[in-house]
Amino acid sequence: MEFTAPQSPAGLRTTPSWLLNQAAGYAGRLISEGFAAHDLRGYHYRLLASLAEDGPASQADLGRRCGIDRSDVVAAINDLAGRGLVVRASDPADRRRNVISSTEAGADAARRMGETVDRVQDDLLAPLSTTEREQLTRLLTRLLEHHSRL
């Protein structure tokens, strides 16, 4: 995908917030296109990746781990379950709760989507050296950590 910077005033084109917004929009398009090849979306990946990394969880815990609203988690889990990527089971300790687990197909989908994320990073960050990529990641992490405390 070729990026053409919008014609904006020079003062904006040198403003970090504007540049971050433009880069985030481009990154979002790349990720969306990559996930569409799997017929899935970003929130599907967050759920599947969380299950792969941290194991089974209640729907509520899974939503908190992924930063997805409770009602959206239910719809996404329904979709993933319908595709055979996750299973829902009653929690033996509390039958009112559902515990979500990834299936083998779900773990495979998470792995393939992770590979897509890696390819997108390579495309997005192509003009940067490895050192610059690491520096950018450190700086963005610092910004996000600062603003998440506010």
Side-chain angles (χ1 to χ4, degrees), residues 17-39:
S17 58
W18 187 86
L19 293 168
L20 283 167
N21 190 42
Q22 296 305 304
Y26 182 65
R29 285 189 298 278
L30 289 174
I31 286 287
S32 291
E33 290 170 3
F35 287 165
H38 302 283
D39 194 29

Side-chain angles (χ1 to χ4, degrees), residues 34-83:
F35 287 165
H38 302 283
D39 194 29
L40 294 166
R41 298 183 177 273
Y43 55 84
H44 291 125
Y45 176 64
R46 290 188 347 229
L47 294 166
L48 291 170
S50 179
L51 291 169
E53 289 178 19
D54 300 317
S58 71
Q59 289 179 173
D61 287 343
L62 196 53
R64 281 190 287 277
R65 286 191 329 206
C66 296
I68 301 173
D69 184 77
R70 186 181 321 179
S71 62
D72 294 332
V73 168
V74 171
I77 294 296
N78 287 342
D79 189 22
L80 291 171
R83 297 167 187 243

Side-chain angles (χ1 to χ4, degrees), residues 81-141:
R83 297 167 187 243
L85 301 176
V86 300
V87 292
R88 197 185 258 125
S90 293
D91 184 342
D94 182 351
R95 296 266 182 220
R96 296 170 295 175
R97 282 181 7 151
N98 285 317
V99 174
I100 309 304
S101 301
S102 182
T103 63
E104 197 170 310
D108 186 52
R111 181 191 51 74
R112 286 184 285 110
M113 291 177 83
E115 291 169 356
T116 296
V117 170
D118 292 342
R119 282 191 303 275
V120 166
Q121 302 317 295
D122 288 341
D123 185 15
L124 178 69
L125 303 175
L128 303 180
S129 69
T130 300
T131 301
E132 290 170 325
R133 290 175 185 207
E134 291 168 355
Q135 181 181 23
L136 177 62
T137 300
R138 278 193 310 276
L139 291 170
L140 291 172
T141 299

